[in-house]
């Protein structure tokens, strides 16, 4: 295999795919055609390419503990993801088509399947939120259920074809994450926070939704996360300005950054949720925003802004693998570091002039705990799902693990739909831990208003320059000498 040619082709493929995604979701084009992009680059994802990169990975792992090993593993991960993508793209497209055209009937009103969570988030009436949920779950069973099943079965078949014992084993190898050990850590976090969890959550449920734990249902989650009562404090007009001002505080002039484009124009088919599209890293990065205001909107923009700054500050001289591939826990860490500013009392006071953010801070704490416990439950479940031969029997197990995690009754219907490919849940969990380590490191060095220190900005820029060369464990080891530890997350939430 001609490695340099492979890398070049892989980078072109990545850019073309991202450009198609950006143009469609930014509302610049209706069509979303990834099939021709895959067809143009079919050589990247053949069985031969996977086998050649597997040999390279084995050799590099035996010979070298450094960058050659990292690059080989990242390329293998890329090739296998594409190989699985080829095998699943037909069912994914079918699923997307069916979902996009699907509507649910709620009391005579038709609601788009994909819009339904947004409608739930904006619905003040708990009974109606539950009706929407029931209709969503019915549609998840039929017509979507068979497509979700086929998708998971094809993923599993690919892992077996390629000689791994299971999809879970395959992902653990490709991502270089000991998923079982991570799950042990996150299960310990869940155990340690179990007793206090209702005490943290219930006052917030009462205050924001007017319900207690016994009345809390999954249908209420989008409304709870929406924090609608905070809307007045987070006006749309201050959204981009507060991000640009925050970056300025860190010594970074967003307007002067080459290659970063703020896409804030309004278009009919623009995605209502902000997203970051790094078409070329670092040269062409779009931050797409459709400002409506509200706390959640700020949180999303800051999250995506963290991804954008990481990409835009990546060293252009780094090889393709370190700029565009690697451990996504790293980019998610920078995204959460920025996102968590909008729940930081110091930041809220300085940037949005909020004098008493205590309710918001309590809400954000409860929300973070819900997310952490939910993802700990998801990881435990996905490990079982992706190691099992017969996935059909796991609906009950899914409801049990997620229900226990959140102390609410959890539906069985979403057991194959509520699954992100490639154990992305592990990236979020590791990012939450690494972000807590990184934030406390910044706070210790630069004080509680670290986000107004250009020196802190220089520390971040030095980290960003490295792309995703290191994984989460390696990065923390180099930064502070620590090991990733969920006890710091527990302490950060004031639970230990
Ligand atoms: Zn993210």
């Amino acid at each position: 295999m001609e490695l340099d040619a492979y890398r070049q082709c892989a980078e072109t493929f990545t850019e073309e795919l991202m450009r198609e995604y950006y143009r469609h979701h930014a509302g610049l084009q209706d069509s979303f055609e990834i099939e021709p992009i895959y067809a143009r680059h079919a050589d990247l994802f053949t069985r031969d390419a996977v086998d050649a990169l597997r040999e390279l990975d084995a050799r590099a792992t035996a010979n070298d503990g450094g960058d050659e090993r990292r690059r080989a593993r990242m390329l293998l991960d890329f090739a296998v993801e594409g190989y699985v993508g080829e095998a699943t793209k037909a069912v994914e497209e079918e699923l997307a088509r069916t979902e996009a055209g699907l509507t649910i009937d709620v009391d005579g009103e038709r609601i788009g399947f994909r819009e339904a969570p947004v409608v739930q988030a904006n619905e003040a009436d708990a009974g109606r939120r539950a009706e929407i949920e029931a209709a969503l779950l019915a549609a998840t069973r039929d017509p979507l259920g068979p497509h979700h099943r086929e998708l998971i079965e094809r993923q599993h078949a690919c892992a077996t074809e390629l000689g791994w014992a299971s999809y879970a084993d395959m992902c653990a190898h490709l991502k270089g994450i000991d998923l079982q050990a991570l799950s042990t850590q996150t299960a310990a976090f869940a155990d340690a926070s179990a007793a206090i969890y209702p005490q943290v959550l219930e006052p917030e449920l009462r205050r924001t939704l007017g319900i207690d734990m016994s009345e809390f249902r999954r249908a209420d989650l989008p409304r709870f996360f929406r924090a609608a009562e905070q809307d007045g404090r987070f006006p749309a007009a201050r959204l981009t300005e507060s991000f640009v001002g925050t970056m300025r505080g860190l010594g970074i002039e967003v307007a002067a950054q080459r290659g970063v484009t703020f896409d804030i124009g309004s278009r009919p088919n623009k995605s209502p949720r902000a997203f970051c599209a790094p078409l070329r890293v670092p040269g062409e990065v779009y931050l797409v925003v459709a400002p409506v205001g509200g706390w959640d909107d700020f949180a999303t923009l800051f999250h995506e802004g963290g991804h954008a700054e990481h990409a835009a500050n990546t060293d252009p001289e780094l090889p393709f693998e370190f700029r565009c591939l690697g451990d996504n826990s790293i980019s998610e860490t920078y995204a959460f570091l920025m996102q968590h500013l909008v729940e930081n009392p110091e930041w809220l006071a300085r940037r949005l002039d909020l004098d008493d953010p205590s309710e918001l801070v309590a809400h954000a704490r409860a929300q973070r705990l819900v997310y952490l416990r939910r993802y700990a439950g998801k990881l435990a479940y996905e490990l079982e799902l992706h190691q099992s031969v017969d996935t059909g029997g796991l609906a009950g197990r899914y409801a049990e693990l997620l229900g226990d995690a959140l102390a609410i009754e959890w539906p069985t219907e979403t057991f194959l739909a509520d699954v992100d490919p490639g154990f992305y849940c592990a990236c979020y969990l590791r990012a939450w831990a690494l972000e807590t380590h990184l934030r406390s490191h910044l706070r210790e060095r630069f004080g509680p208003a670290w986000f107004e220190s250009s020196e802190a900005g220089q520390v971040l820029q030095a980290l960003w320059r490295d792309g995703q060369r290191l994984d989460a464990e390696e990065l923390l080891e180099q930064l502070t000498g620590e090991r990733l530890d969920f006890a710091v997350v527990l302490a950060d939430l004031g639970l230990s």
Side-chain angles (χ1 to χ4, degrees):
M1 167 182 275
E2 190 40 73
L3 263 180
D4 280 334
Y6 187 90
R7 288 188 184 106
Q8 236 164 45
C9 193
E11 184 158 8
T12 310
F13 168 83
T14 307
E15 181 187 335
E16 288 177 3
L17 199 64
M18 192 54 80
R19 192 175 300 279
E20 187 71 8
Y21 179 90
Y22 161 65
R23 293 189 55 80
H24 175 70
H25 291 280
L28 294 165
Q29 66 181 42
D30 286 341
S31 62
F32 182 59
E33 288 176 11
I34 58 171
E35 182 79 31
I37 301 173
Y38 271 94
R40 270 202 296 284
H41 302 282
D43 291 352
L44 286 172
F45 309 123
T46 60
R47 178 65 196 257
D48 283 351
V50 171
D51 288 345
L53 287 168
R54 238 174 139 177
E55 271 173 44
L56 179 77
D57 172 51
R59 262 199 322 274
T61 305
N63 292 341
D64 167 271
D67 282 352
E68 286 314 307
R69 170 188 59 83
R70 295 188 181 100
R71 292 178 73 180
R73 184 67 57 87
M74 290 174 194
L75 276 187
L76 175 62
D77 183 24
F78 168 83
V80 172
E81 193 182 311
Y83 179 88
V84 178
E86 284 278 8
T88 56
K89 70 182 184 226
V91 58
E92 279 184 274
E93 282 185 2
E94 184 58 30
L95 187 59
R97 241 195 319 275
T98 312
E99 245 186 41
L102 191 59
T103 56
I104 55 171
D105 182 5
V106 184
D107 233 2
E109 191 195 334
R110 300 207 78 69
I111 301 172
F113 181 83
R114 286 179 173 174
E115 278 76 60
V118 180
V119 178
Q120 274 181 321
N122 290 319
E123 177 57 65
D125 178 57
R128 191 161 161 80
R129 291 197 294 267
E131 283 173 30
I132 297 171
E133 183 80 356
L136 274 176
L137 293 175
T140 302
R141 209 168 31 233
D142 177 36
L144 299 176
H147 300 307
H148 283 298
R149 168 153 312 181
E150 192 184 343
L151 180 61
I152 301 271
E153 282 174 358
R154 278 179 187 247
Q155 289 169 343
H156 287 190
C158 283
T160 317
E161 258 165 56
L162 293 174
W164 270 286
S166 67
Y167 184 79
D169 279 16
M170 181 179 89
C171 292
H173 178 85
L174 296 173
K175 313 287 177 198
I177 301 176
D178 185 339
L179 293 167
Q180 213 70 57
L182 179 64
S183 186
T184 303
Q185 276 190 296
T186 57
F189 173 90
D191 280 347
S193 61
I196 196 134
Y197 163 71
Q199 296 167 41
V200 172
L201 183 58
E202 191 158 48
E204 287 309 301
L205 290 175
R206 281 217 192 90
R207 190 178 61 74
T208 59
L209 302 181
I211 57 175
D212 59 31
M213 275 308 280
S214 64
E215 298 165 286
F216 185 39
R217 287 174 287 194
R218 194 179 91 135
D220 303 317
L221 280 172
R223 181 68 181 167
F224 179 61
F225 294 154
R226 162 88 172 71
E229 80 288 350
Q230 297 288 339
D231 279 0
R233 308 169 97 179
F234 294 90
R238 297 192 65 176
L239 184 63
T240 40
E241 164 227 294
S242 73
F243 180 74
V244 171
T246 300
M247 295 316 295
R248 189 171 295 137
L250 286 163
I252 299 164
E253 212 41 72
V254 175
Q257 276 181 318
R258 285 222 313 254
V260 181
T261 305
F262 257 79
D263 178 344
I264 50 170
S266 144
R267 287 175 215 109
N269 287 324
K270 193 173 184 179
S271 157
R273 214 165 163 76
F275 67 94
C276 166
L279 269 53
R280 285 184 290 144
V281 179
E284 190 179 358
V285 180
Y286 293 91
L287 192 52
V288 184
V289 197
V292 294
W295 181 61
D296 195 41
D297 215 15
F298 275 67
T300 308
L301 173 70
F302 274 70
H303 180 98
E304 299 305 326
H307 283 306
E309 286 301 321
H310 176 220
N313 282 285
T314 296
D315 181 355
E317 300 300 322
L318 284 178
F320 158 69
E321 295 91 319
F322 298 157
R323 285 180 291 113
C324 302
L325 308 178
D327 179 6
N328 288 324
S329 320
I330 299 298
S331 193
E332 293 301 344
T333 295
Y334 304 133
F336 286 120
L337 181 72
M338 292 301 146
Q339 179 183 340
H340 288 159
L341 285 175
V342 309
E343 60 193 63
N344 176 330
E346 198 74 29
W347 183 89
L348 290 163
R350 286 169 187 251
R351 286 280 157 203
L352 288 178
D353 316 310
L354 297 197
D355 44 11
D356 180 16
S358 56
E359 286 184 345
L360 179 62
V361 170
H363 185 274
R365 176 175 177 241
Q367 176 164 338
R368 271 176 71 197
L369 188 56
V370 167
Y371 265 105
L372 278 154
R373 294 182 58 82
R374 172 157 177 225
Y375 272 76
K378 244 169 97 73
L379 176 59
Y381 166 66
E382 289 186 17
L383 270 168
E384 288 189 23
L385 172 73
H386 290 312
Q387 287 178 99
S388 75
V389 191
D390 174 26
T391 53
L394 281 164
R397 196 61 187 131
Y398 165 76
E400 183 187 340
L401 283 165
L402 274 291
D404 283 353
L406 297 189
I408 54 182
E409 204 172 307
W410 199 263
T412 53
E413 284 88 341
T414 44
F415 80 114
L416 296 176
D418 180 20
V419 177
D420 307 316
F423 279 93
Y424 208 86
C425 59
C427 289
Y428 283 136
L429 285 162
R430 277 153 59 93
W432 284 321
L434 180 57
E435 186 270 344
T436 310
H437 283 282
L438 173 60
R439 184 158 35 84
S440 73
H441 173 72
L442 292 170
R443 212 171 33 224
E444 272 165 34
R445 280 187 68 181
F446 306 107
W450 59 267
F451 50 85
E452 301 214 327
S453 154
S454 60
E455 278 176 83
Q458 282 164 16
V459 170
L460 286 174
Q461 280 177 297
L463 290 170
W464 291 340
R465 213 162 286 141
D466 210 23
Q468 293 195 137
R469 186 175 69 86
L470 301 179
D471 70 20
E473 292 283 357
E474 293 172 323
L475 189 145
L476 183 61
E477 166 77 42
Q478 290 205 357
L479 186 70
T480 68
E482 292 166 296
R483 314 241 331 135
L484 274 189
D485 184 359
F486 283 82
V488 299
V489 182
L490 214 53
D492 187 52
L493 288 165
L495 301 179
S496 62

